[in-house]
């Protein structure tokens, strides 16, 4: 039984943890990123690989992360150091926490820019800009926004300010209240959007696009993208779930809460895809259009459905809240560390991290306009930030977390903390955590970097 106390207080209940973790998980990753990643990777096969990654790697790592967090009851860096001492691992395990803090800061730097797009679209929807619009108008509208660094910086700034405000207020009042009613509302609106998609006449095409796999298109890169997306969408691999787990009541079931969050997150992503692809196909848009896809698609739906102005406005506002509840999770590890180790007050720590993130975010803003010609490795500056975080830092963090929970921690500690006995469900968790997740992660990494091919050719 773990009976440590967190310095930052605790969730008032198990439900509060589920809501907060769902708030972190459900965000732009589900509604903005999942559809365009699916489109860029050709549809069905990507979705299936994504689902396999969520189940075989995402769920066990999610449980592992929540478990480490609750056992350590500290920020990810300190939790990893403490647990590693207890389990006689090396002090370098705290690097997992440092990597997570870094990943969170880097992700938020571009995340808040994209969240800024949502502000701009909320206002344009209210103003009726999209009423009756055709796909050319909507696509031009997006390009015009991208071409305006001033606008992008303005919204980016507002979003960071909102994030800093909530994180500064602390666990109980801040994080918890923000998500209680808004996630269910977003879910309902998505269902309504799916219902609208059913009326387009392209619903079956959309479903076929999303679920009919064409494995001939699949490369090592597709699999890495799918796994990176699973980590990103579930908020895994960077200590955020560890930080939230640190506030989890002692008697809450980690398996059940984790399963609920993973299910909610995956449902929202799938619903977003099912809502969006019929509209993409109906309007002859390119599914591989990239990060702008959702912003070039949803306005078309809102512009043509009855009551679209009200509905669209509500939808974008809820999307802002979804992004907001994710952004607080992105800086929570860094803020908790500053509060615990450097004696800063929460508001100060949040403001300090906010400034760093804001400055970094300017790089993403400029990568869509003034610096769009600067490309290297994965593409634009934004593409590189995205690749470095989603496809490298998060899966690497996940790999280390799985290895720690599966191999370094002794079995009795995990049995004690997971509180699910040592039956069938525990057996599956342990097997996935020890073998499946680490092996899959290593193979996917090597395969994507082409090293597997290299090894094969030297062996032959
Ligand atoms: N899962 C979030 C989304 O889908 C993004 C995210 C990635 C995140 N890592 C995180 C959110 C850590 C909170 C904490 O939008």
């Amino acid at each position: 039984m773990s009976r440590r106390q967190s310095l930052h207080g605790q969730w008032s209940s198990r439900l509060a943890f589920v809501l907060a973790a769902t708030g972190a998980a459900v965000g732009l990753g589900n509604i903005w990123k999942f559809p365009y990643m699916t489109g860029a990777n050709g549809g069905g096969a990507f979705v299936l690989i994504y689902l396999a990654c969520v189940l075989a790697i995402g769920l066990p790592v999610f449980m592992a992360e929540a478990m480490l967090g609750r056992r350590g009851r500290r920020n990810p860096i300190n939790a990893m150091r403490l647990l590693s001492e207890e389990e006689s691992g090396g002090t370098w395990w705290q690097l997992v926490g440092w990597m997570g803090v870094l990943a969170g800061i880097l992700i938020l730097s571009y995340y808040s820019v994209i969240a800024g797009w949502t502000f701009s679209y909320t206002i344009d929807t209210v103003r009726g800009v999209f009423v009756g619009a055709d796909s050319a108008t909507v696509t031009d509208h997006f390009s015009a926004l991208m071409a305006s660094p001033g606008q992008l910086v303005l919204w980016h700034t507002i979003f960071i300010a909102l994030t800093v405000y909530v994180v500064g207020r602390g666990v109980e009042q801040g994080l918890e209240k923000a998500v209680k009613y808004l996630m269910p509302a977003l879910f309902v609106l998505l269902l309504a959007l799916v219902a609208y998609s059913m009326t387009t006449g392209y619903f079956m095409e959309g479903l076929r696009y999303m679920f009919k796999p064409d494995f001939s298109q699949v490369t090592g890169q597709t699999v890495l993208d799918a796994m990176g997306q699973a980590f990103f969408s579930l908020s895994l691999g960077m200590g955020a779930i560890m930080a939230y787990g640190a506030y989890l009541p002692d008697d809450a079931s980690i398996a059940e809460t984790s399963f609920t969050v993973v299910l909610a997150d995956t449902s929202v992503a799938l619903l977003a895809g099912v809502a969006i692809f019929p509209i993409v196909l109906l309007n002859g848009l390119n599914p591989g259009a990239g990060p702008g896809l959702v912003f070039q698609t949803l306005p078309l739906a809102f512009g043509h459905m009855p009551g679209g102005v009200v509905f669209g406005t509500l939808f974008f506002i809820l999307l802002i809240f979804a992004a907001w509840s994710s952004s607080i999770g992105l800086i929570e590890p860094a803020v908790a560390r500053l509060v615990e180790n450097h004696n800063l007050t929460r508001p100060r720590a949040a403001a300090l991290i906010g400034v760093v993130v804001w400055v970094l975010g300017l790089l993403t803003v400029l990568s869509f306009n003034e610096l769009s010609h600067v490309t290297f490795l994965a593409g634009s500056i934004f593409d590189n930030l995205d690749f470095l975080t989603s496809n490298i830092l998060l899966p690497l963090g996940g790999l280390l977390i799985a290895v720690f929970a599966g191999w370094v921690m002794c079995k009795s500690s995990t049995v004690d903390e997971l509180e699910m006995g040592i039956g069938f469900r525990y057996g599956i968790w342990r097997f996935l955590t020890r073998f499946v997740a680490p092996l899959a992660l290593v193979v996917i990494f090597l395969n994507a970097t082409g090293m597997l091919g290299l090894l094969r050719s030297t062996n032959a």
Side-chain angles (χ1 to χ4, degrees), residues 59-93:
L59 183 58
V61 172
F62 197 105
M63 286 173 62
E65 228 188 287
M67 172 187 82
L68 296 181
R70 185 167 74 180
R71 201 160 184 82
R73 289 227 186 274
R74 282 161 177 67
N75 70 70
I77 299 170
N78 298 9
M80 286 306 292
R81 200 179 50 209
L82 175 77
L83 294 179
S84 183
E85 260 163 39
E86 283 180 1
E87 306 284 342
S88 36
T91 43
W92 63 271
W93 279 104

Side-chain angles (χ1 to χ4, degrees), residues 174-297:
L175 307 187
E176 201 162 321
K177 276 185 193 147
V179 284
K180 234 171 192 158
Y181 306 101
L182 302 166
M183 291 303 113
L186 182 69
F187 200 82
V188 170
L189 247 54
L190 263 179
L191 284 177
L193 207 53
V194 170
Y196 170 77
S197 274
M198 285 182 180
T199 68
T200 57
Y202 277 75
F203 192 64
M204 291 319 285
E205 275 84 349
L207 284 188
R208 211 169 296 136
Y209 184 81
M210 268 191 65
F211 295 108
K212 191 155 175 276
D214 172 6
F215 287 105
S216 68
Q217 304 291 322
V218 172
T219 62
Q221 186 56 47
T222 315
V223 184
L224 180 61
D225 276 352
M227 194 188 49
Q229 174 61 19
F231 272 91
F232 184 88
S233 192
L234 295 172
S235 303
L236 283 182
M238 52 156 282
I241 299 304
M242 219 185 281
Y244 280 15
Y247 318 139
L248 186 61
D250 283 329
D251 53 1
S253 155
I254 287 183
E256 276 161 34
T257 46
S258 301
F259 184 77
T260 310
V261 177
V262 170
L263 185 69
D265 184 71
T266 309
S267 315
V268 172
L270 291 178
L271 278 181
V274 170
I276 281 161
F277 281 110
I279 305 166
V280 170
L281 299 173
L282 164 72
N283 291 285
L285 295 166
N286 170 17
L293 185 67
V294 175
F295 293 94
Q296 292 161 341
T297 306

Side-chain angles (χ1 to χ4, degrees), residues 24-30 107 111 232-235 238 240 326 329-330 394:
V26 175
L28 296 169
N30 307 62
I107 292 176
Y111 201 84
F232 184 88
S233 192
L234 295 172
S235 303
M238 52 156 282
S326 295
L330 282 164
L394 301 187

Side-chain angles (χ1 to χ4, degrees), residues 39-50:
N41 283 294
F46 176 85
V47 174
L48 285 186
I49 299 169
Y50 172 78

Side-chain angles (χ1 to χ4, degrees), residues 5 17 158 228 279 418 458:
Q5 289 292 313
F17 169 79
I158 293 179
I279 305 166
L418 287 175
T458 41

